[in-house]
Amino acid sequence: MRKPILAFLIFSFSLTFIQAQQPKKSSASDIYESIQKLNFLGSVLYVAAHPDDENTRLISYMSNHVKARTGYLSITRGDGGQNLIGPEIRELLSVIRTQELLAARRVDGGEQLFTRANDFGYSKHPDETLALWNKDEVLSDVVWAIRKFKPDVIINRFDHRTPGRTHGHHTSSAMLSMEAFDLTNKKSAYAEQQEHAGLWQPKRLFFNTSWWFYGSPENFEKADKSNMMSFDVGIYYPSNGLSNNEMASIASSQHLSQGFGRISQRGSQKEYIEFLKGDFPEDNPDSNRDNIFSGIETTWNRIKGGQAIGDILYEVEKSFNFRDPSASIPELIKAYKLIQNLEDEHWKTIKTKEIKSIIEACAGLYLEVSANTPTTSNRSSIILNIEALNRSNTTLELVSYTISSESNSFNKNTVLLPNLKQNIKDTITLSNTLKNTTPYWLESKGTLGMYKVDNQNLIGLPETPRGLSVDFNLKINNTPITITKDVVYRYSKPDKGELYRPFEIVPEVSAKITEEVIIFENDKQRDISVVIKAGRDDLEGFISMAYPKDWNVYPDKQKISIANKGQEQTLTFTVIPPKFQSEGLLTPMVHINGKIYTRELVEIDYSHIPFQTVLLPSESKIVRLDIQKKGENIGYIEGAGDSVPESLQQIGYNVIIIKPEDISPEHLAKFDAIVVGIRAYNIVDELKFKQKYLLDFVENGGNMIVQYNTSRGLNAKQFSPYHLKLSRDRVTDENAEVRLINPDHELLNYPNKITAKDFEGWTQERGLYFPNEWSNEFTPILSMNDSGETPKDGSLLVAKYGKGNYIYTGLSFFREFPAGVSGAYRLFANMLSIGKDKINIDKKLND
């Protein structure tokens, strides 16, 4: 289900969002814009709750027009959202959405920050949100982010004054930002942070308002704007041939897992920000009041010793030679030396990084370290291919290089002559101390609302710092400068050309059970497969299994022998369930030289983000179900991506994926029931042409189950045989009481008796986007609601249509099946079985 990146993203300028791992190759225009940013000493921090909440128009405007250092603080990593491009949810989705944010920032020029908050799913009120998040910990992370980033200006995406009117995460992000604004300069607030970040006081805080928050454009037009500033974010950038809005659209389109691929926009467009706290910007001669930094010193005069640096760098900007950027290097070197003497460590660190990158680009300096393999494990040897190339007439010498895993430097004392490439090969053996490559926030088990991160300096980073890098110790115009490059893996494919992926350090062995949830519909034993993957050559050991005491697994252990790194060995174990309903965890334990490995290596490969490896606990949930079912052949029409087909196969159904073009009376006739995947009517255009065939299938005696869709963007206006109106009603409390409206209905009694116990152990939510209007032909089955709300009766509706049954459900089966929730399986089996073999139903009801 991998989707290629949208064709419109391919432009000639050097935004490296297509191959995110590829080294940036700056044009003269890129270098000039970097110099302009070098000469601006001001920062803006944008704050919201999730990936895709950020206003990329405003972030791009601040970064590319104002030239400010601009960051986006996303309180969460979007773990609780849906995934429109693949099956990954929860932790793995957080990895994808983190990388999509980084891809967006590579386009719009911003930086990315996070807190430890876990997106646990939709929340209706900030009280619930902040209780599950652990407000004090998240607030400390927001304070930490502000102290580290040191923004002059903070802009909130959401309104802190409207709790309960929108997603609780949204309002909470604004409330936390408001509170943090008053704490970041207080010594008593989170004192343990101060040795790492010091104190900081932002100058002003705004809310990025719009007509949406006023209900309509007409209401906003009438609103008092005396407390607001506005910007025309539709400005055009001749240097790259794009408007700001086009860049923003491209940045936003990186959120492909959320379905944010969009058409680019052009033309004038106003953005408004409402002043909330701090010092309101001083009166501006420009009547548009569009200078967010008014009254804030943003030149080099801002810092002690900065004037001399500015005298050099403003002239560099003024006299920049687009034909020969290297002409600026002598003056850039002078400024670089002065920056090293600055007392202000914050600006010294930022501007040192910026000016080194500019010097490197002006010299056309190409430095790359590519390993001969994409992965390795500790104590293994790899070959590093080092390439150094000076593409200018600048005097440049490679004095030495230092590999981060080695204690010694390798002296070279080699002059890099113009356009003469230096190739160096080095074989190193990794020590036993390097950490495996994996997202740092997933290393320890957290809570429902929080990730557990013990290292203060990791908190907020978008990703784990790379474990292997090389410091190139250079002399440029006889001035020592060190440039660091992460080790990468460079390769090619005949149909794709040159490709890059990050270099990963993996365990010497990993193991996974091929099924995350294993359902036993009876007490018959089943064979399960365990895949062992070698992270090094000549792997020898054995594997045993950990399992619940009322289960049995045979044999006790099996030998592992794998000759080559990257190869896999598949072993089969027989799992014997108990006689009665039971559940637990099955964990492979791999024994190598006295050490036990219990983690699985997950690989995530999509074209719009860098290749990712994730280490997770290797465990599968085993569930012995008390379940009965009728019918056998199920047709499944895929929607936005879920594991429902595989889950139904687990309980013995024969599930066939139906492509939209194959929907025909003849093809449908072979099935007992048709199940439509989540949001299929939102994203599968062909369904609007095939709906007649599907309803004819029901009329002729089949069952059709339609899982949730959103009311916005429906492709088929008549997806139901009778009147049915979708709403935004949802029940977010997974423990909310479920009331059986029609306890005698077949759907709750045959072939499985459904009780309140079947709704125990649900995860993240009960369901979403329930219908709130339906015709009399529909029978509501369940009633539920979140605390303080009116009952919601539209979560499960069934209607007789002809000889068959049409069922619409907003219950979150797509979340419950992967979690092995037994009651969800039993209820779904009843939905598939309705009307099939009604013999003895009356007797069962009487019993």
Side-chain angles (χ1 to χ4, degrees), residues 140-352:
S140 76
D141 289 357
V142 177
V143 170
W144 170 253
I146 294 171
R147 284 172 172 171
K148 290 281 287 182
F149 195 80
K150 295 184 171 29
D152 300 300
V153 179
I154 298 175
I155 304 174
N156 289 344
R157 182 67 176 109
F158 299 105
D159 192 346
H160 66 285
R161 298 160 294 197
T162 56
R165 286 178 53 188
T166 183
H167 197 323
H169 297 183
H170 292 169
T171 310
S172 295
S173 70
M175 294 169 64
L176 290 164
S177 177
M178 287 285 290
E179 191 169 346
F181 186 90
D182 297 327
L183 295 176
T184 55
N185 204 33
K186 289 185 177 180
K187 290 184 178 180
S188 58
Y190 307 110
E192 70 281 359
Q193 298 178 0
Q194 294 167 28
E195 66 173 297
H196 304 286
L199 300 175
W200 181 251
Q201 182 57 60
K203 301 294 184 186
R204 50 194 66 137
L205 174 64
F206 295 92
F207 158 47
N208 182 195
T209 190
S210 70
W211 69 260
W212 188 88
F213 294 95
Y214 287 76
S216 70
E218 293 75 20
N219 289 343
F220 188 59
E221 184 68 27
K222 299 173 187 174
D224 178 11
K225 298 182 178 62
S226 61
N227 210 31
M228 297 183 191
M229 302 181 70
S230 65
F231 316 94
D232 184 353
V233 295
I235 192 168
Y236 177 65
Y237 302 124
S239 59
N240 56 40
L242 290 175
S243 68
N244 186 75
N245 280 349
E246 286 175 299
M247 293 183 71
S249 296
I250 297 168
S252 182
S253 289
Q254 302 307 298
H255 297 295
L256 295 182
S257 66
Q258 288 297 104
F260 264 54
R262 59 186 56 186
I263 296 174
S264 59
Q265 298 178 348
R266 288 155 291 280
S268 178
Q269 184 173 353
K270 281 284 187 75
E271 284 288 344
Y272 291 86
I273 56 173
E274 177 188 349
F275 176 74
L276 298 177
K277 276 187 179 183
D279 300 325
F280 192 81
E282 297 175 1
D283 288 338
N284 195 326
D286 187 343
S287 60
N288 289 329
R289 298 171 68 189
D290 63 354
N291 183 5
I292 198 172
F293 286 97
S294 182
I296 300 173
E297 180 61 75
T298 58
T299 72
W300 279 100
N301 292 332
R302 175 173 189 153
I303 54 179
K304 183 180 178 181
Q307 182 176 347
I309 299 169
D311 290 342
I312 297 171
L313 292 179
Y314 294 130
E315 183 58 34
V316 169
E317 180 181 340
K318 180 180 177 181
S319 60
F320 182 72
N321 186 337
F322 284 85
R323 291 182 176 273
D324 182 15
S326 66
S328 299
I329 289 178
E331 294 303 298
L332 288 168
I333 292 292
K334 289 180 184 177
Y336 169 81
K337 291 179 179 178
L338 293 176
I339 290 172
Q340 305 319 297
N341 296 325
L342 290 176
E343 296 178 9
D344 189 318
E345 288 296 327
H346 173 70
W347 285 112
K348 176 182 175 181
T349 300
I350 292 170
K351 295 305 177 182
T352 293

Side-chain angles (χ1 to χ4, degrees), residues 676-821:
V676 182
I678 61 174
R679 295 175 68 174
Y681 285 102
N682 295 125
I683 67 170
V684 182
D685 290 338
E686 296 95 325
L687 285 183
K688 61 187 173 186
F689 307 116
K690 302 289 187 174
Q691 185 66 10
K692 179 183 183 303
Y693 301 137
L694 292 170
L695 293 182
D696 287 347
F697 166 80
V698 181
E699 192 171 20
N700 291 329
N703 290 337
M704 181 176 176
I705 299 172
V706 178
Q707 298 178 86
Y708 96 91
N709 291 268
T710 63
S711 57
R712 197 168 71 181
L714 279 172
N715 289 321
K717 293 182 180 179
Q718 294 183 334
F719 60 90
S720 164
Y722 308 114
H723 173 66
L724 188 68
K725 183 180 178 181
L726 302 183
S727 73
R728 296 183 63 83
D729 287 351
R730 62 203 301 162
V731 176
T732 61
D733 182 358
E734 63 269 35
N735 298 310
E737 178 191 4
V738 177
R739 298 173 292 277
L740 310 183
I741 300 176
N742 287 280
D744 294 335
H745 195 280
E746 180 184 353
L747 208 57
L748 296 177
N749 292 276
Y750 182 78
N752 303 288
K753 179 70 174 178
I754 302 299
T755 68
K757 186 173 179 61
D758 288 293
F759 296 95
E760 294 177 0
W762 284 50
T763 181
Q764 185 160 325
E765 62 200 357
R766 289 295 189 196
L768 64 170
Y769 297 105
F770 299 161
N772 63 353
E773 292 182 16
W774 51 86
S775 66
N776 291 333
E777 287 84 357
F778 281 103
T779 300
I781 303 299
L782 306 174
S783 180
M784 60 190 73
N785 56 272
D786 284 321
S787 177
E789 294 191 350
T790 58
K792 305 294 185 290
D793 297 345
S795 65
L796 181 58
L797 302 171
V798 59
K800 190 73 179 174
Y801 183 66
K803 299 177 183 178
N805 296 275
Y806 178 94
I807 298 173
Y808 188 92
T809 179
L811 294 172
S812 298
F813 291 104
F814 71 101
R815 295 198 190 280
E816 311 317 318
F817 285 170
V821 178

Side-chain angles (χ1 to χ4, degrees), residues 496-655:
K496 296 183 183 298
E498 183 178 62
L499 297 169
Y500 284 79
R501 58 176 278 186
F503 174 76
E504 314 275 12
I505 300 171
V506 300
E508 61 179 335
V509 67
S510 59
K512 69 174 180 179
I513 301 173
T514 53
E515 298 165 293
E516 292 184 9
V517 175
I518 306 172
I519 305 294
F520 292 79
E521 58 175 317
N522 50 44
D523 62 357
K524 293 181 180 179
Q525 66 186 37
R526 277 181 59 182
D527 289 343
I528 61 104
S529 296
V530 182
V531 180
I532 314 299
K533 187 170 185 177
R536 63 170 175 83
D537 294 337
D538 302 320
L539 189 76
E540 299 284 341
F542 70 92
I543 179 174
S544 61
M545 304 293 287
Y547 51 89
K549 62 180 181 180
D550 52 344
W551 294 65
N552 285 297
V553 176
Y554 178 82
D556 289 336
K557 63 181 180 180
Q558 296 191 57
K559 182 181 179 182
I560 296 169
S561 180
I562 305 177
N564 300 310
K565 181 186 75 173
Q567 287 187 328
E568 295 179 343
Q569 180 179 357
T570 301
L571 300 171
T572 300
F573 285 86
T574 299
V575 179
I576 306 170
K579 294 288 184 182
F580 305 102
Q581 187 157 313
S582 173
E583 61 183 54
L585 294 177
L586 186 65
T587 301
M589 305 177 68
V590 183
H591 303 253
I592 306 291
N593 295 327
K595 188 173 180 179
I596 300 175
Y597 295 85
T598 60
R599 294 208 283 177
E600 171 187 356
L601 184 68
V602 181
E603 297 180 339
I604 301 175
D605 187 10
Y606 291 99
S607 60
H608 67 301
I609 59 174
F611 189 96
Q612 299 291 302
T613 59
V614 185
L615 286 170
L616 295 175
S618 181
E619 56 188 24
S620 290
K621 187 173 183 179
I622 45 177
V623 180
R624 162 68 169 96
L625 272 182
D626 176 13
I627 189 171
Q628 302 293 324
K629 65 184 192 303
K630 296 295 179 180
E632 182 178 354
N633 296 314
I634 308 299
Y636 198 88
I637 300 171
E638 292 181 309
D642 56 55
S643 60
V644 172
E646 296 86 348
S647 300
L648 296 179
Q649 288 171 340
Q650 288 257 20
I651 56 174
Y653 283 107
N654 177 33
V655 183

